[in-house]
C-alpha cells in the first residue's frame, strides 16, 4: 500500500520538468525585453497604467504610490521611470495645491497618443491569440493563469524558510 502511494506521487509530479521548461520559455522570449517606440516595456506599461487609471477612476492623474500599487513595483522604481518619461515629454508632474509633498502624474498629449497605440496593439495581440487558440481554450487558459497567479501570490505571502 505504501509503495502504491509513492508511485502515485511520482506519477503526480512527472510533469515538473516540463512545467518548469514551459515557464522558462516565456522568460527567454524577447517580447518583454525589446523596446517599443524607443521606450522600455516597463515605461510603456506605466503610460498604459496612467491611461487606464484615468478611464477606470475618472481622475486626470495619479500619484506615485497609486501607480506603484497598480504596477506592483516600488515607489523608487516608479520615480525612476517617471523621470525618464518626463524628460521625453510623455508625462508631466504637478504638485498638489493643498499638499505640496504630493505629486500628480498626468499624460501629455504625446503620452496619451502612445498609450492608446500600446493599448490597441496589446488588444490586437490578444485577439490574435483568441483567434489562434479558440474561445474555449482561451477561457481555460485564462482560468488556469489566474489560478497560477493566486498560487504564486500565496507563496510570496509565506515567510521565507532558510
Amino acid at each position: 500500500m505504501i509503495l502504491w502511494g509513492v508511485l502515485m506521487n511520482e506519477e503526480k509530479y512527472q510533469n515538473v520538468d516540463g512545467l518548469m521548461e514551459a515557464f522558462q520559455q516565456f522568460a527567454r522570449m524577447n517580447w518583454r525585453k525589446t523596446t517599443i517606440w524607443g521606450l522600455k516595456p516597463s515605461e510603456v506599461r506605466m503610460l498604459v497604467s496612467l491611461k487606464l487609471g484615468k478611464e477606470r477612476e475618472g481622475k486626470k492623474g495619479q500619484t506615485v504610490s497609486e501607480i506603484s500599487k497598480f504596477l506592483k513595483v516600488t515607489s523608487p522604481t516608479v520615480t525612476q521611470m517617471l523621470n525618464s518619461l518626463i524628460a521625453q515629454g510623455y508625462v508631466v508632474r504637478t504638485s498638489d495645491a493643498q499638499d505640496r509633498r504630493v505629486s500628480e502624474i498626468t499624460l501629455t498629449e504625446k503620452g496619451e497618443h502612445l498609450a492608446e497605440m500600446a493599448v490597441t496593439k496589446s488588444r490586437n495581440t490578444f485577439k490574435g491569440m483568441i483567434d489562434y487558440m479558440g474561445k474555449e481554450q482561451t477561457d481555460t487558459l485564462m482560468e488556469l493563469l489566474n489560478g497560477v497567479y493566486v498560487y504564486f501570490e500565496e507563496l510570496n505571502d509565506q515567510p521565507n524558510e532558510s
Side-chain angles (χ1 to χ4, degrees):
M1 190 67 164
I2 292 174
L3 182 58
W4 177 251
V6 170
L7 289 174
M8 289 300 291
N9 264 350
E10 287 179 16
E11 187 176 313
K12 177 180 175 181
Y13 298 119
Q14 74 185 40
N15 291 346
V16 166
D17 291 335
L19 187 58
M20 289 170 53
E21 177 60 27
F23 273 85
Q24 289 172 359
Q25 287 178 40
F26 286 99
R28 289 191 299 262
M29 288 180 70
N30 283 334
W31 63 276
R32 293 186 62 223
K33 297 175 185 136
T34 56
T35 59
I36 305 164
W37 304 297
L39 296 176
K40 297 175 191 165
S42 57
E43 293 171 331
V44 174
R45 277 193 304 279
M46 181 172 295
L47 294 176
V48 169
S49 167
L50 286 164
K51 178 174 179 40
L52 296 178
K54 182 178 171 183
E55 292 171 1
R56 185 179 55 250
E57 299 166 21
K59 292 173 26 180
K60 186 177 179 188
Q62 295 179 6
T63 65
V64 169
S65 61
E66 289 170 336
I67 297 167
S68 173
K69 238 185 253 181
F70 184 78
L71 294 176
K72 296 187 181 204
V73 296
T74 64
S75 291
T77 300
V78 169
T79 300
Q80 185 178 10
M81 284 189 284
L82 282 175
N83 290 337
S84 172
L85 291 170
I86 289 168
Q88 296 177 72
Y90 291 108
V91 298
V92 291
R93 181 189 335 233
T94 54
S95 295
D96 186 283
Q98 282 79 33
D99 187 347
R100 308 273 303 152
R101 295 171 296 172
V102 177
S103 295
E104 186 175 71
I105 312 303
T106 55
L107 291 168
T108 62
E109 194 173 309
K110 179 181 174 181
E112 182 79 38
H113 177 69
L114 198 131
E116 182 60 40
M117 286 176 28
V119 167
T120 300
K121 181 178 180 184
S122 184
R123 285 188 176 133
N124 287 338
T125 298
F126 283 96
K127 284 177 182 178
M129 186 185 336
I130 292 168
D131 290 341
Y132 181 80
M133 295 180 63
K135 184 181 179 337
E136 189 175 314
Q137 276 192 306
T138 303
D139 289 346
T140 301
L141 176 63
M142 190 169 52
E143 186 178 321
L144 290 169
L145 289 173
N146 285 326
V148 169
Y149 177 81
V150 169
Y151 168 74
F152 280 117
E153 280 290 301
E154 289 175 2
L155 197 62
N156 285 336
D157 290 342
Q158 293 178 3
N160 290 335
E161 296 175 15
S162 299

